[in-house]
Amino acid sequence: MTNSNTSPAQAVRLRARDGSLISPTAGLANGFVQVNLVILPEAQANGFLRFCQANPKPCPLIAVSEPGQRGCDILADDLDIARDVPSYCVYRDGQLSETLPDVSGLWRDDLVTFALGCSFSFEHALVQNGVAVRHIDEGRNVPMFKTSIPLQTAGGFAGRMVVSMRPFRAAQAIRAIQITTRYPQAHGAPVHLGDPALIGISDLAHPDYGDAVSVHTDEIPVFWACGVTPQQVLMDAGVPFAITHNPGYMLVTDIPESHVALL
Amino acid sequence: MTNSNTSPAQAVRLRARDGSLISPTAGLANGFVQVNLVILPEAQANGFLRFCQANPKPCPLIAVSEPGQRGCDILADDLDIARDVPSYCVYRDGQLSETLPDVSGLWRDDLVTFALGCSFSFEHALVQNGVAVRHIDEGRNVPMFKTSIPLQTAGGFAGRMVVSMRPFRAAQAIRAIQITTRYPQAHGAPVHLGDPALIGISDLAHPDYGDAVSVHTDEIPVFWACGVTPQQVLMDAGVPFAITHNPGYMLVTDIPESHVALL
């Protein structure tokens, strides 16, 4: 399905489309923005759009499709939203119903797709700037935690923020704040650092999602808004029908990471 | 000495020049950059310039005068370096020798003046952005501490960094890092946050310079490189002769604070 004119990002999408890519997308097509997907019927989509606008740190909107469209030029010329992600989650009445490699059979004319920025973009920037990221070094998924941080209620959606955690020594934490500030479309600057209890996290060794990582005594845990937040919010709202990417199995876009950096 | 064409900054300098201003300059001529002064014979000045270039966080150079010059157009058109600061410190053989309201009687043809940025600039930016600064709210001088952070040895000068400390809740600490990053000529982003012991500070309640301030249990101490560092370094080096401003009694320049902000 690929040839010499295929970009690395398009090659990933085509392998997802033909079913030959069944792994998470971390590390694939480096340099291109990967996004979280939320796909909702228009009846819920208009409210969800207001929710995203009101909560840009957990829900940084990169693109919103027209109802029923499986393409989205902002993300990629040749996109098929229903097939170009290696694994999808389908929710019914607020419960995870199934995971599927292709949702073209479930497609409806009223489905609206939201592409939300992902921390992969700023993690690449951290590493390129010499700031080591613990879960990458330890070969694990980033640790994620439910918090007490309230979200802005909007469009019929509400809840608490889910955050990801990365530990750093102080000087690297300061540098990480500077670097991630440049990426508002990838969750931007952290929302908290230091004492986890202040945001309702009781134990860093037991994340709600992902894997625990080492935190050394001279390190400060730093917390970023996480793209798992909207999935949690959709489940809490008991939406009748929703499709998302399966966490870790992202949509790889044709947008260069440099294009979403401020400065 | 002032008339309707006098800028607020020039008015402060003229009052210092004629001896009618004998107070610290905090809060005067708001919106104009205030600077630390270091005045050295050329025999030490060339080495000190290399030291500042190697240690830009504690010693952010805004201007360096030509030897013997009492003016400096970059700072102000009408400047008299020997008279326009309300109070000067004179050091001989590494010891504070006297404080004087006017050093024109000590002026020499080989004296070089260094103007170094001051945290007043970023403190105004913090307050304007809604980030309250504790020592301002408590009507005290900022607490300053000697640390174990080594300076880059250069030009015959060496030593450890002196830092200032401002406590913030985490979200405000993150905002303070973003705001002060815009002011590299006013010490820029912090050099440390969190555990003071990691940079050799044993007790936040007992600063080496300035006043102690309240630090609440939900706050993180955040540490910035401090303009007291070069004074400490000059004393440690036992320089035969140096003049500085008296801490708190700064030179008020004609440079608008907005002109030293990045972005």
Side-chain angles (χ1 to χ4, degrees):
Chain A
M1 296 281 287
T2 68
N3 61 48
S4 59
N5 293 321
T6 307
S7 82
Q10 188 182 23
V12 171
R13 290 194 302 274
L14 293 177
R15 288 174 54 213
R17 192 181 299 179
D18 70 16
S20 62
L21 175 67
I22 56 170
S23 63
T25 53
L28 300 181
N30 269 331
F32 291 94
V33 171
Q34 300 196 20
V35 295
N36 300 286
L37 283 192
V38 171
I39 304 170
L40 285 171
E42 201 175 357
Q44 286 80 44
N46 295 321
F48 186 72
L49 177 53
R50 295 201 299 280
F51 177 78
C52 291
Q53 293 284 3
N55 293 280
K57 294 207 94 160
C59 306
L61 277 173
I62 289 186
V64 183
S65 75
E66 291 298 310
Q69 300 277 313
R70 283 164 56 173
C72 185
D73 288 351
I74 294 169
L75 301 175
D77 282 343
D78 66 331
L79 184 64
D80 184 347
I81 290 167
R83 296 192 294 159
D84 286 359
V85 169
S87 179
Y88 298 84
C89 290
V90 181
Y91 298 84
R92 299 180 197 274
D93 298 323
Q95 301 286 325
L96 179 64
S97 158
E98 63 245 62
T99 59
L100 293 172
D102 180 323
V103 292
S104 54
L106 299 173
W107 202 257
R108 300 163 27 169
D109 284 346
D110 65 344
L111 291 180
V112 176
T113 299
F114 298 80
L116 307 172
C118 152
S119 57
F120 287 174
S121 300
F122 75 61
E123 288 181 348
H124 291 159
L126 290 171
V127 172
Q128 283 171 352
N129 282 275
V131 179
V133 177
R134 181 65 37 79
H135 68 270
I136 296 175
D137 290 346
E138 295 187 344
R140 300 181 190 172
N141 193 358
V142 68
M144 293 165 274
F145 301 87
K146 299 180 184 182
T147 73
S148 57
I149 301 170
L151 299 165
Q152 197 73 36
T153 298
F157 296 98
R160 309 267 169 175
M161 193 183 294
V162 178
V163 297
S164 59
M165 188 282 292
R166 294 162 188 82
F168 298 101
R169 284 179 294 109
Q172 300 279 275
I174 292 164
R175 189 75 186 110
I177 291 168
Q178 294 176 315
I179 291 165
T180 58
T181 294
R182 298 178 64 212
Y183 292 88
Q185 288 189 304
H187 306 301
V191 295
H192 183 65
L193 53 78
D195 185 357
L198 292 173
I199 56 171
I201 298 173
S202 57
D203 187 355
L204 290 183
H206 293 92
D208 295 300
Y209 311 92
D211 304 321
V213 297
S214 311
V215 182
H216 304 143
T217 55
D218 62 350
E219 291 181 332
I220 297 167
V222 185
F223 301 90
W224 278 265
C226 176
V228 168
T229 306
Q231 294 189 20
Q232 186 65 48
V233 163
L234 291 171
M235 281 195 284
D236 292 349
V239 288
F241 182 73
I243 301 169
T244 70
H245 70 290
N246 192 347
Y249 300 76
M250 318 300 285
L251 175 65
V252 179
T253 77
D254 281 347
I255 304 171
E257 284 179 341
S258 59
H259 286 210
V260 295
L262 298 177
L263 314 191
Chain B
M1 296 282 287
T2 70
N3 61 48
S4 60
N5 292 321
T6 307
S7 83
Q10 187 181 23
V12 172
R13 291 194 301 274
L14 294 177
R15 287 174 55 214
R17 191 181 299 179
D18 70 17
S20 62
L21 176 66
I22 56 171
S23 63
T25 54
L28 300 182
N30 270 330
F32 290 94
V33 170
Q34 300 196 20
V35 294
N36 299 286
L37 283 192
V38 171
I39 304 170
L40 285 172
E42 202 175 357
Q44 286 80 44
N46 295 322
F48 186 71
L49 177 54
R50 295 201 299 280
F51 177 79
C52 291
Q53 294 284 3
N55 294 280
K57 295 207 95 160
C59 306
L61 277 174
I62 290 185
V64 183
S65 75
E66 291 299 311
Q69 301 276 315
R70 281 164 58 174
C72 185
D73 288 352
I74 295 170
L75 302 175
D77 282 342
D78 65 332
L79 184 63
D80 183 348
I81 291 168
R83 296 192 294 159
D84 285 0
V85 170
S87 180
Y88 298 85
C89 290
V90 181
Y91 297 84
R92 299 180 197 276
D93 297 323
Q95 301 286 326
L96 179 64
S97 155
E98 63 243 63
T99 61
L100 293 172
D102 179 325
V103 292
S104 54
L106 299 174
W107 202 257
R108 298 162 29 167
D109 284 347
D110 66 342
L111 291 181
V112 176
T113 299
F114 297 81
L116 307 172
C118 152
S119 58
F120 286 175
S121 299
F122 77 59
E123 287 181 348
H124 292 160
L126 290 171
V127 172
Q128 284 171 351
N129 283 275
V131 179
V133 177
R134 181 65 37 78
H135 69 269
I136 295 175
D137 290 348
E138 295 187 344
R140 300 181 191 172
N141 194 358
V142 68
M144 293 165 273
F145 301 87
K146 299 180 184 181
T147 74
S148 57
I149 301 171
L151 299 165
Q152 196 73 36
T153 299
F157 296 98
R160 309 268 170 175
M161 193 183 294
V162 178
V163 297
S164 59
M165 187 281 292
R166 294 162 189 81
F168 298 102
R169 284 179 293 109
Q172 300 279 275
I174 292 164
R175 188 76 187 110
I177 291 167
Q178 294 177 317
I179 292 166
T180 58
T181 294
R182 299 178 64 213
Y183 292 88
Q185 288 188 303
H187 305 302
V191 294
H192 183 65
L193 54 78
D195 185 357
L198 291 173
I199 57 170
I201 297 173
S202 57
D203 187 358
L204 290 182
H206 293 93
D208 294 301
Y209 312 91
D211 304 321
V213 297
S214 312
V215 182
H216 304 143
T217 54
D218 62 350
E219 291 181 331
I220 296 168
V222 184
F223 300 90
W224 278 266
C226 176
V228 168
T229 306
Q231 294 189 20
Q232 185 65 48
V233 163
L234 290 171
M235 282 196 283
D236 291 349
V239 287
F241 181 73
I243 301 169
T244 70
H245 70 290
N246 192 346
Y249 301 76
M250 318 301 285
L251 176 66
V252 179
T253 76
D254 281 347
I255 303 171
E257 283 178 339
S258 59
H259 286 209
V260 295
L262 298 177
L263 315 189

